[in-house]
């Protein structure tokens, strides 16, 4: 998923941290454990402070207070980012995925045809659900049954919201041509 898109002009330039609200700066500082690569994301959201705080509060719940395991979460994020063509989100989550226990082969396999990797039945169900949700397709009942066989109701709800939140961020960053931190290759 690291294929570079042709360079496009940034449509809304991310604001520098000194122009952010104190609350947004505090959110960035408080999420330092999430690693680098968040300044342009936050700087883009800083154009709408109220929405930024709400969005980032949801993201915090999904990434730090959620009921899915880190591995489950990162499989969904990586696959959704791949399916939505977002190298910004995919590349940003490589290190997060490694911290969540995915090895480099597994990270790479999330951006490949699913049959090319020996996924566990549970991982495969999450990845197939991510594919369907990223495409805006309904989850077929057999897939839902497989998911429900391994996840509690709260985790099923979280899975759906996580995939939607990720797809929305991929679309937003891509439409705005937001560049990665330190980079000039905008790719959403």
């Amino acid at each position: 998923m690291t294929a570079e898109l042709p360079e496009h002009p940034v449509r809304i330039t991310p604001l520098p941290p000194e122009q952010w609200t104190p609350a947004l700066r505090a959110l960035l500082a408080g999420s330092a454990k999430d690693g680098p690569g968040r300044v342009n994301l936050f700087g883009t959201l800083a154009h709408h402070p109220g929405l930024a705080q709400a969005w980032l509060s949801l993201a915090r719940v999904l990434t730090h207070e959620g009921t899915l395991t880190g591995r489950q979460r990162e499989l969904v994020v990586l696959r959704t980012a791949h399916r939505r063509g977002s190298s910004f989100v995919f590349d940003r989550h490589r290190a997060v995925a490694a911290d969540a226990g995915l090895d480099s082969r597994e990270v790479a396999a999330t951006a490949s045809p699913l049959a090319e990797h020996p996924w566990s039945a549970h991982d495969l169900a999450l990845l197939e659900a991510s594919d369907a949700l990223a495409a805006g397709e309904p989850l077929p009942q057999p897939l839902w049954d497989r998911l429900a066989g391994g996840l509690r109701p709260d985790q099923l709800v979280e899975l759906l919201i996580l995939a939607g939140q990720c797809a929305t961020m991929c679309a937003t960053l891509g439409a705005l041509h937001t560049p990665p931190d330190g980079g000039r290759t905008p790719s959403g």
Side-chain angles (χ1 to χ4, degrees):
M1 165 78 273
T2 58
E4 298 299 331
L5 297 177
E7 190 163 331
H8 298 284
V10 175
R11 290 182 170 156
I12 296 179
T13 302
L15 294 174
E18 57 272 9
Q19 293 180 22
W20 302 354
T21 64
L24 189 56
R25 282 195 301 274
L27 278 172
L28 180 65
S31 68
K33 64 184 170 198
D34 294 336
R38 295 164 293 113
V39 175
N40 282 347
L41 167 64
F42 278 50
T44 297
L45 294 173
H47 286 279
H48 193 312
L51 182 59
Q53 285 187 250
W55 182 269
L56 293 168
S57 293
L58 173 61
R60 185 188 68 249
V61 169
L62 292 171
T63 58
H64 298 294
E65 301 165 16
T67 60
L68 295 172
T69 67
R71 177 184 179 81
Q72 292 167 330
R73 179 189 65 243
E74 292 308 315
L75 284 171
V76 171
V77 169
L78 289 171
R79 187 65 179 185
T80 302
H82 163 67
R83 293 301 299 242
R84 298 296 304 209
S86 179
S87 60
F88 185 114
V89 174
F90 191 92
D91 292 344
R92 164 87 181 81
H93 276 265
R94 285 177 183 273
V96 179
D99 290 344
L102 277 80
D103 64 38
S104 60
R105 245 178 359 106
E106 291 172 316
V107 170
T110 63
S112 299
L114 295 179
E116 291 183 5
H117 184 80
W119 296 109
S120 71
H122 182 70
D123 287 351
L124 187 58
L126 291 170
L127 294 164
E128 289 174 1
S130 299
D131 282 354
L133 294 167
E137 298 171 357
L139 295 179
Q141 191 62 45
L143 176 55
W144 180 260
D145 293 342
R146 289 173 33 224
L147 291 165
L151 298 174
R152 301 182 313 261
D154 59 329
Q155 292 174 312
L156 291 164
V157 170
E158 184 176 325
L159 164 66
L160 300 174
I161 292 174
L162 173 64
Q165 189 261 8
C166 182
T168 300
M169 186 52 66
C170 291
T172 301
L173 295 170
L176 296 176
H177 304 156
T178 302
D181 291 3
R184 291 296 308 154
T185 306
S187 55

